[in-house]
Short mmCIF file of all heavy atoms in Angstrom, two decimals:
data_model
loop_
_atom_site.label_atom_id
_atom_site.label_comp_id
_atom_site.label_asym_id
_atom_site.label_seq_id
_atom_site.Cartn_x
_atom_site.Cartn_y
_atom_site.Cartn_z
N GLU A 1 11.82 65.20 138.62
CA GLU A 1 11.74 66.40 139.56
C GLU A 1 10.18 66.59 139.92
O GLU A 1 9.95 67.06 141.12
CB GLU A 1 12.33 67.58 138.73
CG GLU A 1 13.75 67.66 138.78
CD GLU A 1 14.22 69.02 138.44
OE1 GLU A 1 13.97 69.95 139.28
OE2 GLU A 1 14.89 69.23 137.33
N GLU A 2 9.31 66.62 139.06
CA GLU A 2 7.91 66.78 139.36
C GLU A 2 7.34 65.73 140.32
O GLU A 2 6.53 66.04 141.15
CB GLU A 2 7.06 66.80 138.13
CG GLU A 2 7.32 67.99 137.21
CD GLU A 2 6.56 67.95 135.89
OE1 GLU A 2 5.66 67.08 135.74
OE2 GLU A 2 6.79 68.78 135.03
N ALA A 3 7.85 64.41 140.16
CA ALA A 3 7.37 63.34 141.02
C ALA A 3 7.91 63.45 142.41
O ALA A 3 7.23 62.86 143.34
CB ALA A 3 7.85 62.04 140.40
N MET A 4 9.03 63.98 142.63
CA MET A 4 9.71 64.07 143.94
C MET A 4 9.31 65.36 144.68
O MET A 4 9.68 66.48 144.20
CB MET A 4 11.22 63.92 143.90
CG MET A 4 11.62 62.76 143.21
SD MET A 4 11.24 61.25 144.22
CE MET A 4 10.35 60.22 143.04
N ALA A 5 8.69 65.36 145.79
CA ALA A 5 8.25 66.49 146.51
C ALA A 5 9.32 67.05 147.31
O ALA A 5 9.44 68.29 147.43
CB ALA A 5 7.08 66.22 147.46
N HIS A 6 10.35 66.29 147.82
CA HIS A 6 11.37 66.82 148.68
C HIS A 6 12.48 67.48 147.85
O HIS A 6 12.89 67.00 146.85
CB HIS A 6 11.96 65.68 149.56
CG HIS A 6 12.82 66.18 150.64
ND1 HIS A 6 14.02 66.63 150.50
CD2 HIS A 6 12.54 66.35 151.96
CE1 HIS A 6 14.52 66.98 151.72
NE2 HIS A 6 13.59 66.82 152.58
N PRO A 7 12.94 68.62 148.31
CA PRO A 7 13.91 69.38 147.43
C PRO A 7 15.22 68.48 147.22
O PRO A 7 15.87 68.63 146.13
CB PRO A 7 14.33 70.61 148.26
CG PRO A 7 13.13 70.79 149.08
CD PRO A 7 12.56 69.45 149.41
N ALA A 8 15.66 67.65 148.20
CA ALA A 8 16.85 66.93 148.02
C ALA A 8 16.69 65.90 146.86
O ALA A 8 17.60 65.56 146.12
CB ALA A 8 17.14 66.10 149.24
N LEU A 9 15.52 65.25 146.67
CA LEU A 9 15.24 64.32 145.71
C LEU A 9 15.19 64.90 144.38
O LEU A 9 15.47 64.43 143.29
CB LEU A 9 14.01 63.51 146.00
CG LEU A 9 14.06 62.68 147.35
CD1 LEU A 9 12.84 61.88 147.49
CD2 LEU A 9 15.30 61.74 147.26
N LYS A 10 14.60 66.11 144.30
CA LYS A 10 14.59 66.97 143.10
C LYS A 10 16.13 67.36 142.73
O LYS A 10 16.42 67.19 141.47
CB LYS A 10 13.88 68.30 143.32
CG LYS A 10 12.33 68.17 143.47
CD LYS A 10 11.76 69.51 143.71
CE LYS A 10 10.21 69.45 143.94
NZ LYS A 10 9.59 69.01 142.73
N LEU A 11 16.86 67.62 143.70
CA LEU A 11 18.33 67.86 143.39
C LEU A 11 19.03 66.65 142.86
O LEU A 11 19.70 66.83 141.75
CB LEU A 11 18.98 68.28 144.74
CG LEU A 11 20.51 68.33 144.64
CD1 LEU A 11 20.93 69.61 143.76
CD2 LEU A 11 21.08 68.53 146.05
N TYR A 12 18.66 65.56 143.32
CA TYR A 12 19.37 64.34 142.64
C TYR A 12 18.86 64.01 141.35
O TYR A 12 19.57 63.55 140.41
CB TYR A 12 19.21 63.17 143.65
CG TYR A 12 20.07 63.20 144.95
CD1 TYR A 12 19.48 63.21 146.21
CD2 TYR A 12 21.45 63.42 144.76
CE1 TYR A 12 20.24 63.36 147.32
CE2 TYR A 12 22.22 63.51 146.01
CZ TYR A 12 21.67 63.45 147.15
OH TYR A 12 22.37 63.50 148.31
N ALA A 13 17.65 64.34 141.00
CA ALA A 13 17.17 64.12 139.63
C ALA A 13 18.03 65.01 138.68
O ALA A 13 18.28 64.58 137.59
CB ALA A 13 15.74 64.52 139.66
N ARG A 14 18.30 66.25 139.15
CA ARG A 14 19.08 67.11 138.35
C ARG A 14 20.59 66.68 138.25
O ARG A 14 21.17 66.70 137.22
CB ARG A 14 18.95 68.60 138.77
CG ARG A 14 17.65 69.16 138.76
CD ARG A 14 17.66 70.67 138.98
NE ARG A 14 18.11 71.00 140.32
CZ ARG A 14 17.36 71.07 141.42
NH1 ARG A 14 16.02 70.94 141.29
NH2 ARG A 14 17.84 71.43 142.59
N LYS A 15 21.09 66.31 139.43
CA LYS A 15 22.43 65.98 139.46
C LYS A 15 22.91 64.80 138.59
O LYS A 15 23.79 64.76 137.80
CB LYS A 15 23.02 65.65 140.87
CG LYS A 15 23.07 66.89 141.76
CD LYS A 15 23.54 66.60 143.16
CE LYS A 15 25.00 66.20 143.18
NZ LYS A 15 25.96 67.32 142.91
N LEU A 16 22.05 63.78 138.61
CA LEU A 16 22.21 62.60 137.74
C LEU A 16 22.10 62.95 136.22
O LEU A 16 22.94 62.42 135.41
CB LEU A 16 21.37 61.52 138.12
CG LEU A 16 21.85 60.50 139.25
CD1 LEU A 16 21.94 61.15 140.58
CD2 LEU A 16 21.06 59.19 139.33
N ARG A 17 21.15 63.69 135.91
CA ARG A 17 20.98 64.17 134.49
C ARG A 17 22.21 64.86 133.99
O ARG A 17 22.67 64.59 132.89
CB ARG A 17 19.68 64.90 134.22
CG ARG A 17 19.57 65.47 132.98
CD ARG A 17 19.43 64.42 131.88
NE ARG A 17 19.39 64.91 130.47
CZ ARG A 17 20.47 64.77 129.78
NH1 ARG A 17 21.67 64.25 130.14
NH2 ARG A 17 20.52 65.27 128.45
N ALA A 18 22.78 65.73 134.91
CA ALA A 18 23.89 66.56 134.50
C ALA A 18 25.22 65.76 134.76
O ALA A 18 26.25 66.34 134.35
CB ALA A 18 23.87 67.90 135.30
N ARG A 19 25.19 64.67 135.38
CA ARG A 19 26.30 64.02 135.83
C ARG A 19 27.41 64.91 136.50
O ARG A 19 28.48 65.00 136.42
CB ARG A 19 27.05 63.31 134.68
CG ARG A 19 26.14 62.37 133.98
CD ARG A 19 26.68 61.69 132.56
NE ARG A 19 27.79 60.86 132.87
CZ ARG A 19 28.48 60.33 131.86
NH1 ARG A 19 28.11 60.44 130.60
NH2 ARG A 19 29.55 59.59 132.12
N ASP A 20 26.83 65.61 137.49
CA ASP A 20 27.52 66.59 138.24
C ASP A 20 27.71 66.18 139.64
O ASP A 20 26.84 66.25 140.45
CB ASP A 20 26.70 68.04 138.20
CG ASP A 20 27.36 69.00 139.12
OD1 ASP A 20 28.64 68.95 139.39
OD2 ASP A 20 26.63 69.99 139.49
N PHE A 21 28.92 65.57 139.93
CA PHE A 21 29.05 64.94 141.21
C PHE A 21 30.30 65.37 142.02
O PHE A 21 30.59 64.91 143.10
CB PHE A 21 29.31 63.41 141.03
CG PHE A 21 28.16 62.75 140.22
CD1 PHE A 21 28.45 62.28 138.96
CD2 PHE A 21 26.90 62.76 140.67
CE1 PHE A 21 27.49 61.69 138.11
CE2 PHE A 21 25.87 62.07 139.98
CZ PHE A 21 26.17 61.59 138.68
N GLY A 22 31.01 66.49 141.58
CA GLY A 22 32.15 66.91 142.27
C GLY A 22 31.93 68.19 143.01
O GLY A 22 30.71 68.54 143.21
N GLY A 23 32.99 68.59 143.59
CA GLY A 23 32.82 69.92 144.31
C GLY A 23 32.51 69.86 145.73
O GLY A 23 32.10 68.83 146.23
N ARG A 24 32.70 70.95 146.49
CA ARG A 24 32.40 71.01 147.87
C ARG A 24 30.91 71.14 148.00
O ARG A 24 30.18 71.74 147.32
CB ARG A 24 33.15 72.32 148.40
CG ARG A 24 32.97 72.36 149.85
CD ARG A 24 33.80 73.70 150.39
NE ARG A 24 33.44 74.12 151.78
CZ ARG A 24 34.11 73.53 152.80
NH1 ARG A 24 35.04 72.53 152.56
NH2 ARG A 24 33.68 73.78 154.05
N GLY A 25 30.50 70.66 149.24
CA GLY A 25 29.00 70.80 149.59
C GLY A 25 28.21 69.66 149.36
O GLY A 25 26.95 69.64 149.65
N GLY A 26 28.72 68.60 148.90
CA GLY A 26 27.95 67.30 148.69
C GLY A 26 28.19 66.34 149.89
O GLY A 26 28.75 66.73 150.93
N PHE A 27 27.55 65.25 149.71
CA PHE A 27 27.68 64.15 150.68
C PHE A 27 28.61 63.12 150.06
O PHE A 27 28.21 62.49 149.09
CB PHE A 27 26.31 63.53 151.01
CG PHE A 27 26.27 62.47 152.14
CD1 PHE A 27 27.22 62.68 153.19
CD2 PHE A 27 25.42 61.45 152.05
CE1 PHE A 27 27.16 61.72 154.17
CE2 PHE A 27 25.31 60.51 153.06
CZ PHE A 27 26.24 60.61 154.16
N THR A 28 29.74 62.98 150.61
CA THR A 28 30.81 62.18 150.03
C THR A 28 30.46 60.66 149.91
O THR A 28 29.65 60.14 150.69
CB THR A 28 32.19 62.27 150.66
OG1 THR A 28 32.07 61.71 151.99
CG2 THR A 28 32.59 63.75 150.76
N MET A 29 30.97 59.92 148.89
CA MET A 29 30.94 58.52 148.81
C MET A 29 31.29 57.81 150.07
O MET A 29 30.68 56.82 150.50
CB MET A 29 31.67 58.04 147.53
CG MET A 29 31.21 56.67 147.12
SD MET A 29 29.61 56.36 146.44
CE MET A 29 29.87 57.16 144.83
N THR A 30 32.44 58.18 150.61
CA THR A 30 32.86 57.60 151.90
C THR A 30 31.88 57.68 153.02
O THR A 30 31.64 56.65 153.73
CB THR A 30 34.29 58.06 152.28
OG1 THR A 30 34.33 59.44 152.35
CG2 THR A 30 35.39 57.60 151.27
N GLY A 31 31.39 58.90 153.12
CA GLY A 31 30.34 59.12 154.13
C GLY A 31 29.19 58.33 153.88
O GLY A 31 28.52 57.77 154.86
N GLY A 32 28.63 58.31 152.66
CA GLY A 32 27.51 57.52 152.32
C GLY A 32 27.63 56.04 152.48
O GLY A 32 26.73 55.36 153.00
N ASN A 33 28.87 55.59 152.14
CA ASN A 33 29.18 54.18 152.30
C ASN A 33 29.10 53.77 153.91
O ASN A 33 28.47 52.68 154.22
CB ASN A 33 30.56 53.72 151.85
CG ASN A 33 30.78 52.37 151.77
OD1 ASN A 33 29.92 51.53 151.40
ND2 ASN A 33 31.88 51.84 152.38
N LYS A 34 29.60 54.69 154.64
CA LYS A 34 29.50 54.41 156.12
C LYS A 34 27.98 54.36 156.65
O LYS A 34 27.57 53.52 157.34
CB LYS A 34 30.19 55.43 156.91
CG LYS A 34 30.28 55.47 158.36
CD LYS A 34 29.13 56.28 159.20
CE LYS A 34 29.41 57.79 158.89
NZ LYS A 34 28.23 58.43 159.61
N ASP A 35 27.18 55.31 156.12
CA ASP A 35 25.76 55.32 156.42
C ASP A 35 25.03 54.04 156.06
O ASP A 35 24.24 53.57 156.69
CB ASP A 35 25.12 56.60 155.95
CG ASP A 35 25.44 57.77 156.66
OD1 ASP A 35 26.30 57.73 157.62
OD2 ASP A 35 24.88 58.88 156.52
N VAL A 36 25.36 53.78 154.80
CA VAL A 36 24.71 52.48 154.21
C VAL A 36 25.06 51.18 154.96
O VAL A 36 24.23 50.35 155.28
CB VAL A 36 25.00 52.32 152.76
CG1 VAL A 36 24.50 51.01 152.20
CG2 VAL A 36 24.35 53.43 151.88
N SER A 37 26.27 51.19 155.51
CA SER A 37 26.78 50.10 156.33
C SER A 37 25.94 49.94 157.60
O SER A 37 25.61 48.94 158.12
CB SER A 37 28.26 50.11 156.55
OG SER A 37 28.96 50.14 155.37
N LEU A 38 25.83 51.27 158.15
CA LEU A 38 24.96 51.36 159.47
C LEU A 38 23.52 50.86 159.18
O LEU A 38 22.87 50.21 159.97
CB LEU A 38 25.03 52.69 159.94
CG LEU A 38 26.24 53.30 160.58
CD1 LEU A 38 26.11 54.72 160.90
CD2 LEU A 38 26.80 52.47 161.68
N MET A 39 22.94 51.29 157.99
CA MET A 39 21.64 50.87 157.70
C MET A 39 21.44 49.30 157.58
O MET A 39 20.54 48.78 158.07
CB MET A 39 21.21 51.42 156.29
CG MET A 39 21.15 52.98 156.28
SD MET A 39 21.03 53.46 154.48
CE MET A 39 21.56 55.18 154.64
N LEU A 40 22.35 48.67 156.80
CA LEU A 40 22.31 47.34 156.74
C LEU A 40 22.49 46.48 158.05
O LEU A 40 21.84 45.43 158.33
CB LEU A 40 23.43 46.83 155.65
CG LEU A 40 23.26 47.35 154.18
CD1 LEU A 40 24.41 46.99 153.37
CD2 LEU A 40 21.94 46.82 153.52
N LYS A 41 23.37 47.08 158.78
CA LYS A 41 23.71 46.32 160.11
C LYS A 41 22.29 46.49 160.98
O LYS A 41 21.86 45.49 161.55
CB LYS A 41 24.84 47.06 160.90
CG LYS A 41 25.19 46.37 162.27
CD LYS A 41 26.46 47.04 162.78
CE LYS A 41 26.84 46.40 164.12
NZ LYS A 41 25.82 46.66 165.19
N ALA A 42 21.88 47.72 161.15
CA ALA A 42 20.69 47.83 161.99
C ALA A 42 19.47 47.18 161.46
O ALA A 42 18.73 46.60 162.27
CB ALA A 42 20.33 49.39 162.00
#
């Protein structure tokens, strides 16, 4: 958390420690997989 300046990266440091991945308001795995596919293609 201290090493990451951006709030989103601080959030992920907390989420992984808590193993808290469910609920509304996140970025879904299916949406993320689509984005990563676009990254790899581009």
